[in-house]
Amino acid sequence: MNSQQSIYEALGEEKIKSIVHNFYRNVENSDGLRKLYPEDLAPAEERLFLFLIHVFGGPHTYLEQRGHPMLRKRHFQWPIDSEMRNSWLNCMLSALDKVEMETEIKEAMQGYFVKVANHMINQ
């Protein structure tokens, strides 16, 4: 990735979609997280995909469809403690490990996800 390139440009939509898909496969196997989602994970998977392409420098489809992310507000209905944060983060970091990418891209994404996971704690 060069300094002028976004993560979205460096990875492309297919790799971001793979990360999201891998994340939700991990969620399916996480008792603590799985109970927070409806049976059909497809809508959540689509929302996360659109959110991540926006966050990482791609099209603003998420904003057009759903408005400002307001992550804490949207997630405040669920108790998120450090254990839940760790479960979510482990699922996401494992999903990143399954997609080939440059080390600096992976580290940037890991840093973003750690920051967001920490911000979401509400208990």
Side-chain angles (χ1 to χ4, degrees):
M1 180 170 97
N2 67 53
S3 62
Q4 303 300 314
Q5 199 175 35
S6 69
I7 290 174
Y8 172 81
E9 291 168 326
L11 283 183
E13 286 191 11
E14 286 308 308
K15 285 191 175 183
I16 294 173
K17 188 175 284 258
S18 291
I19 291 165
V20 172
H21 182 75
N22 292 332
F23 170 75
Y24 279 102
R25 297 307 65 81
N26 292 338
V27 166
E28 286 179 329
N29 296 313
S30 171
D31 293 336
L33 286 178
R34 185 61 184 100
K35 66 183 177 187
L36 301 179
Y37 290 90
E39 186 161 332
D40 182 8
L41 292 173
E45 192 167 329
E46 179 66 11
R47 286 189 301 272
L48 181 57
F49 168 67
L50 293 176
F51 175 73
L52 292 182
I53 62 173
H54 163 72
V55 165
F56 292 126
H60 301 295
T61 309
Y62 181 90
L63 291 180
E64 293 164 5
Q65 290 181 4
R66 299 189 48 87
H68 189 281
M70 302 180 295
L71 290 179
R72 273 185 66 88
K73 183 176 180 182
R74 289 184 195 257
H75 292 82
F76 203 75
Q77 62 186 308
W78 298 288
I80 302 171
D81 58 13
S82 59
E83 185 177 332
M84 188 62 70
R85 170 234 183 243
N86 291 344
S87 294
W88 184 92
L89 193 55
N90 288 337
C91 287
M92 185 56 77
L93 296 180
S94 173
L96 286 177
D97 287 341
K98 295 174 184 169
V99 175
E100 188 175 322
M101 65 185 81
E102 293 178 26
T103 302
E104 64 186 20
I105 295 171
K106 186 175 185 178
E107 289 173 352
M109 293 180 83
Q110 288 170 333
Y112 172 78
F113 290 127
V114 167
K115 181 179 172 183
V116 167
N118 288 336
H119 179 69
M120 300 303 286
I121 294 174
N122 60 24
Q123 300 287 306

